[in-house]
Amino acid sequence: MKKANKISILGAGNVGATIAYTLTLEGLASEIVLVDINKDKAKGEALDIIQCTALCPSVNIYSGEYSDLEGSDIVIVTLGCARKPGQSRIDLAQGNVNIIKSVMPQAVKYAPNAIYVAVSNPVDIITYTILKTTGLPENHVFGSGTLLDSARLREIIGTHLDVNPKHIHAYVLGEHGDSSMVPWSLTSIGGIPMNVYIDSIRKNKADLTSIDHDMTVETVHKAGGEIIKLKGATFYAIAVAATTICRTILHDADSVLPLSGMLHGEYGYSDVCLSVPFVLNRDGLVNSVTPPLSDEEMKKFSASADMLKDTLSQITI
Ligand SMILES: NC(=O)c1ccc[n+]([C@@H]2O[C@H](COP(=O)([O-])OP(=O)(O)OC[C@H]3O[C@@H](n4cnc5c(N)ncnc54)[C@H](O)[C@@H]3O)[C@@H](O)[C@H]2O)c1
């Protein structure tokens, strides 16, 4: 019986290398492969990380070729271009789609049974491209989607309310990008609907203000761009999000996470990849969850889905 966990990472840039580092610290994989067109970069990152293994869980990490993907349980796709200051994720679409189309046949040739996790942007379009061009099963291909955006949202709410974000359940759904939306009606704190929680806490904390929905969504939308403006790239939070996905898969954890998967009639949409809550386990995406949305939430979700469908119609896959 196979016991070791092998994770391959395509792209050893900021995001790919940080994911490798995060996976190493957590000890999730016994083997990690980094593949990049820039072979020196991939080799350098692998060497830098392997030098921590005397002091952390052991892992065999190395840079390699597509043939080294053989036997991978998970392949994480981070290669391509990243946003420059002022660019939207959609601006990257056709260029990164072309790169994905050129590399995926080699990846799938050697790792046909792996679960593929897209991180490259625009992640919903890249997820769709991988699905359409490889013929891989839909439960084995999905994107990190709005898991990062939802973590950002939970941090903002937690800071406002003085609550550990781990006890806040809140989702960003739709596109991983500027059209994403927050279904506020589903937001809860310690299992208590957010408004009920705030009203209750106000008894002892009269100055506690409600969450400004529009301003919070805008902060989430601008979060990545703000970091790119300040330091050129984002990679820590997305690396932890990717590691969370790998942990959920490898531990067969049946977690409910907002991820970008192929829709089949969810909220009236099909043939588009975007984020709704999905149950994730060792088999990949096993079920979507579609709690009812208010009319206003549904309008915003539709606007996001329509935007992605429109983008798909304008690019060549
Ligand atoms: N989904 C998310 O939440 C999220 C968050 C942050 C970044 N991203 C995205 O992740 C991607 C990577 O970002 P980054 O900051 O690591 O960029 P980066 O430029 O640092 O790294 C990209 C790597 O891809 C490699 N590459 C490019 N073309 C290749 C090819 N044909 N074959 C093999 N390797 C190739 C490059 O050599 C480079 O090392 C971007 O698309 C970025 O927008 C997504």
Side-chain angles (χ1 to χ4, degrees):
M1 192 178 127
K2 184 174 181 287
K3 286 204 185 108
N5 291 322
K6 177 169 178 177
I7 299 179
S8 297
I9 303 173
L10 306 185
N14 290 310
V15 173
T18 312
I19 292 172
Y21 177 61
T22 314
L23 289 169
T24 299
L25 294 186
E26 187 157 326
L28 265 180
S30 46
E31 192 173 345
I32 298 175
V33 184
L34 284 169
V35 178
D36 199 292
I37 200 167
N38 182 341
K39 292 187 192 309
D40 283 351
K41 173 86 163 88
K43 190 174 176 186
E45 296 292 0
L47 284 173
D48 198 8
I49 296 171
I50 207 160
Q51 287 168 9
C52 20
T53 53
L55 309 169
C56 69
S58 45
V59 60
N60 178 21
I61 173 163
Y62 55 95
S63 60
E65 307 297 330
Y66 284 93
S67 55
D68 291 304
L69 264 57
E70 201 165 342
S72 298
D73 297 282
I74 300 172
V75 176
I76 305 175
V77 181
T78 79
L79 46 72
C81 295
R83 282 196 290 162
K84 304 205 169 47
Q87 261 191 323
S88 82
R89 295 172 180 89
I90 294 293
D91 291 337
L92 303 172
Q94 189 66 63
N96 279 351
V97 161
N98 293 346
I99 292 175
I100 292 295
K101 282 196 297 187
S102 72
V103 305
M104 285 313 294
Q106 302 173 70
V108 172
K109 179 177 168 195
Y110 293 104
N113 300 317
I115 293 178
Y116 284 75
V117 182
V119 173
S120 305
N121 275 319
V123 71
D124 304 290
I125 305 290
I126 296 299
T127 305
Y128 185 90
T129 304
I130 296 175
L131 268 169
K132 289 289 171 181
T133 56
T134 61
L136 286 165
E138 288 186 2
N139 57 319
H140 274 195
V141 180
F142 58 89
S144 58
T146 54
L147 181 58
L148 171 61
D149 317 58
S150 301
R152 287 172 173 156
L153 173 68
R154 291 165 66 191
E155 186 278 324
I156 295 167
I157 297 172
T159 300
H160 184 91
L161 298 181
D162 243 341
V163 174
N164 185 328
K166 287 192 188 65
H167 294 276
I168 294 166
H169 277 84
Y171 293 116
V172 177
L173 302 182
E175 179 210 4
H176 166 60
D178 297 343
S179 74
S180 68
M181 54 78 65
V182 174
W184 290 102
S185 59
L186 304 177
T187 303
S188 66
I189 321 272
I192 302 160
M194 186 171 76
N195 290 341
V196 176
Y197 177 90
I198 293 176
D199 286 346
S200 172
I201 291 291
R202 268 208 196 106
K203 284 179 205 135
N204 301 319
K205 215 174 168 185
D207 60 341
L208 183 66
T209 55
S210 297
I211 305 274
D212 183 323
H213 292 185
D214 290 344
M215 202 193 288
T216 304
V217 172
E218 198 185 332
T219 307
V220 171
H221 285 168
K222 289 190 170 156
E226 180 70 16
I227 298 167
I228 290 170
K229 204 165 77 187
L230 291 167
K231 63 169 222 174
T234 69
F235 40 89
Y236 294 124
I238 182 59
V240 173
T243 299
T244 300
I245 290 169
C246 292
R247 186 193 315 117
T248 304
I249 294 169
L250 297 173
H251 291 184
D252 198 20
D254 291 310
S255 297
V256 181
L257 299 173
L259 299 167
S260 184
M262 181 62 87
L263 296 196
H264 288 280
E266 287 87 347
Y267 298 118
Y269 284 89
S270 296
D271 198 32
V272 63
C273 291
L274 51 72
S275 287
V276 299
F278 277 98
V279 179
L280 178 67
N281 65 24
R282 193 65 185 82
D283 293 326
L285 287 192
V286 290
N287 246 318
S288 60
V289 190
T290 50
L293 302 178
S294 70
D295 288 350
E296 193 193 339
E297 289 166 354
M298 196 54 229
K299 239 163 95 180
K300 289 180 176 159
F301 182 90
S302 295
S304 189
D306 289 342
M307 192 285 286
L308 280 168
K309 281 215 151 232
D310 187 49
T311 305
L312 284 172
S313 72
Q314 291 178 44
I315 58 176
T316 310
I317 291 182

